[in-house]
Amino acid sequence: MIESQGKVAFCFPGQLQEKPKLEEPQSLKENGLFREVIERASSLTQFNLIDFSFKGEAEGEHLHLKLQVATYLLSMIHFYRLKAAGWVPNVLAEHSMGVYAALAASEAITFEQGLFITESIGRLIEKEESRHPGAMASITGLPLEEVQKVCRDLDGYELFIANYNGPMVYVISGEEQG
């Protein structure tokens, strides 16, 4: 175990906004934990993190799904690497979709369950996005009542609060023009 002066917290991020560009692919690809996670994921999903991150796979189709799965896999790879190096977190935290990696890291769910949930949510979002194209935006610093008012008062555009990310931090979703 690594000695530290205080508490150690691991925070698992929400979905990446762009394709990860991993540096020094050889050293990471040679890491046993990396290979193990990639092999486990490959048996459960059609997503290939190596092709997506290292081989310049086109971003186009299914980008949000790929970003969600990539975020989950990279979070778990780095968690396993830190754990193997002796880091023991006192606290596991998450932001947005990072909740599934945090749950898997805490062993509340298995790695496979976290991957399944992450991929399933991504597929549901893609399905809804194809039926109802739209956009998302983050609103920071307004109280809930003001955000609700913004969603109501936009000349007929359908907007709603998609996520409560923290005190006075909200994600709204709906028609892009709104």
Side-chain angles (χ1 to χ4, degrees):
M1 179 173 150
I2 304 280
E3 293 293 323
S4 78
Q5 298 297 328
K7 303 269 185 209
V8 174
F10 290 176
C11 185
F12 297 87
Q15 175 182 317
L16 296 168
Q17 295 302 306
E18 59 185 45
K19 183 168 85 168
K21 294 174 179 78
L22 303 176
E23 299 296 323
E24 301 179 38
Q26 281 312 112
S27 62
L28 187 57
K29 283 197 262 185
E30 291 171 4
N31 181 282
L33 292 169
F34 177 84
R35 284 195 318 272
E36 178 188 334
V37 168
I38 297 304
E39 287 172 17
R40 287 170 72 186
S42 295
S43 68
L44 301 168
T45 182
Q46 296 174 3
F47 176 74
N48 186 317
L49 180 64
I50 293 174
D51 288 347
F52 186 60
S53 300
F54 294 118
K55 294 184 180 176
E57 177 183 296
E59 293 182 12
E61 191 175 11
H62 307 294
L63 178 61
H64 292 293
L65 173 63
K66 291 174 184 177
L67 290 171
Q68 284 185 343
V69 173
T71 304
Y72 177 80
L73 293 176
L74 290 169
S75 293
M76 295 308 298
I77 288 165
H78 291 297
F79 169 74
Y80 293 140
R81 290 177 72 197
L82 287 168
K83 190 174 169 185
W87 288 92
V88 179
N90 301 95
V91 176
L92 295 173
E94 52 74 26
H95 173 73
S96 193
M97 284 295 291
V99 66
Y100 304 106
L103 287 169
S106 72
E107 298 179 357
I109 61 176
T110 65
F111 167 84
E112 289 79 9
Q113 289 168 327
L115 178 59
F116 175 80
I117 294 167
T118 300
E119 184 179 27
S120 296
I121 290 170
R123 292 199 185 281
L124 286 171
I125 290 170
E126 277 191 341
K127 185 176 180 180
E128 280 306 305
E129 197 173 59
S130 69
R131 288 185 195 165
H132 309 286
M136 297 175 80
S138 179
I139 297 179
T140 304
L142 291 179
L144 175 60
E145 298 77 27
E146 290 295 316
V147 177
Q148 290 170 328
K149 185 176 181 330
V150 166
C151 290
R152 277 193 312 268
D153 297 343
L154 281 174
D155 297 327
Y157 294 111
E158 289 192 37
L159 296 179
F160 58 93
I161 297 174
N163 203 4
Y164 298 82
N165 281 347
M168 298 198 339
V169 181
Y170 305 94
V171 176
I172 60 170
S173 180
E175 295 177 73
E176 188 170 4
Q177 291 178 336

